[in-house]
Amino acid sequence: MGRVLWVTGAGSGMGRAVARSAVAAGWTVVLSGRRADALHETATSAGGTCRELPLDVRDDDAVRAARDRVVDEFGRIDGLVLAAGRNTPRRGWDDQEIATFHDVVAVNLGAVVTVLDATLPDLRASSGVAVVVSSYAGWSFHPSAGVAYSASKTALGSVVRTLNATEAGNGVRACHLCPGDVATDFLDQRPTVPDAAARERMLTPDDIARTVQFVLDSPTHVRIDELVVSPVAQR
Ligand SMILES: NC(=O)c1ccc[n+]([C@@H]2O[C@H](COP(=O)([O-])OP(=O)(O)OC[C@H]3O[C@@H](n4cnc5c(N)ncnc54)[C@H](OP(=O)(O)O)[C@@H]3O)[C@@H](O)[C@H]2O)c1
């Protein structure tokens, strides 16, 4: 068994592409997301050693139970790719719903912290690496991303920096990954959904997977604090 990677949001988009690339690079990959059928499709297309572990990342108990299952079965966690995320079309001050605001923050920020917190002893033991999938909007102010999305993704920069600042002595490394536009189903949540021509100009999930793989496979003395990856046409 190779190193063990836990990917959230593994049933689609970037998470699926990362899972495939990590399997090809020899990692054992644990796949999480809510849709069991989507995770199964990822596992089937990735080949190699995958474990499907469906869960809702907002459920703290489910996250802790999943961490225990991974460690019981594989004995270690060497890497995390935290790609589960959401937005909403009604995202501005003029049309947001406050319950949705809280849910976006719970998925994009709260759940990232929950998974990191649950796996910190494992990351310490393995000199592990966590790739926190944030956003261009978490790196540079982008009002069209919405109130909840901008706030939650921007906060991930602080999550990564506090983790790196306090856990460096334990060998834990985290990367604040800030992708620009990527052609995935995520775009269907925009108030105006981009057409095929616009999607052609965007990054692909495989572009992100290649970047993530570089971070995952960097030697344990290398920390890549932040990466911004955008299509040439990014605004
Ligand atoms: N596409 C872009 O342009 C773009 C740009 C910058 C950053 N991002 C970020 O990149 C990440 C991946 O997005 P993507 O573009 O690959 O879109 P995606 O295909 O829609 O992926 C989002 C994933 O999050 C999972 N998810 C959502 N809520 C969840 C929950 N409560 N519990 C568990 N899993 C949950 C979804 O799976 P289930 O529905 O099965 O749970 C889905 O697989 C997100 O964090 C997004 O904010 C996207």
Side-chain angles (χ1 to χ4, degrees):
M1 183 194 61
R3 289 170 295 171
V4 176
L5 175 69
W6 188 7
V7 181
T8 69
S12 61
M14 298 181 214
R16 173 174 287 177
V18 164
R20 286 177 176 157
S21 132
V23 164
W27 291 69
T28 293
V29 183
V30 179
L31 311 168
S32 287
R34 289 167 301 178
R35 291 166 296 157
D37 55 338
L39 299 180
H40 189 61
E41 235 178 89
T42 299
T44 304
S45 66
T49 311
C50 289
R51 175 69 63 250
E52 297 153 44
L53 221 51
L55 62 81
D56 187 326
V57 291
R58 294 168 300 184
D59 181 340
D60 294 357
D61 293 339
V63 166
R64 291 196 179 277
R67 175 268 165 197
D68 291 349
R69 278 188 63 185
V70 175
V71 174
D72 282 351
E73 182 168 356
F74 298 115
R76 57 190 296 144
I77 297 174
D78 301 86
L80 301 173
V81 175
L82 304 178
R86 70 158 294 190
N87 203 344
T88 174
R90 297 179 56 186
R91 54 180 67 178
W93 282 106
D94 55 349
D95 65 352
Q96 68 179 345
E97 288 170 347
I98 216 65
T100 309
F101 171 92
H102 287 302
D103 195 59
V104 172
V105 173
V107 177
N108 292 355
L109 175 60
V112 167
V113 175
T114 306
V115 179
L116 287 168
D117 186 71
T119 56
L120 194 51
D122 313 306
L123 297 176
R124 286 175 178 152
S126 64
S127 296
V129 57
V131 179
V132 173
V133 182
S134 178
S135 170
Y136 205 79
W139 170 70
S140 147
F141 179 56
H142 224 276
S144 65
V147 181
Y149 193 81
S150 294
S152 56
K153 293 294 190 178
T154 302
L156 292 177
S158 298
V159 168
V160 167
R161 291 185 77 163
T162 56
L163 188 62
N164 283 335
T166 57
E167 289 298 322
N170 294 318
V172 175
R173 299 159 295 143
C175 178
H176 184 226
L177 177 66
C178 303
D181 293 340
V182 185
T184 69
D185 297 345
F186 206 78
L187 305 173
D188 298 339
Q189 302 175 66
R190 288 189 179 174
T192 306
V193 175
D195 63 14
R199 288 175 199 242
E200 279 290 310
R201 295 190 290 273
M202 296 180 181
L203 298 175
T204 67
D206 286 336
D207 292 326
I208 298 300
R210 194 166 51 246
T211 305
V212 169
Q213 200 61 49
F214 169 71
V215 177
L216 293 177
D217 286 338
S218 290
T220 52
H221 68 282
V222 176
R223 185 174 82 202
I224 299 165
D225 299 74
E226 185 169 70
L227 280 174
V228 183
V229 188
S230 47
V232 169
Q234 183 75 39
R235 295 205 193 146

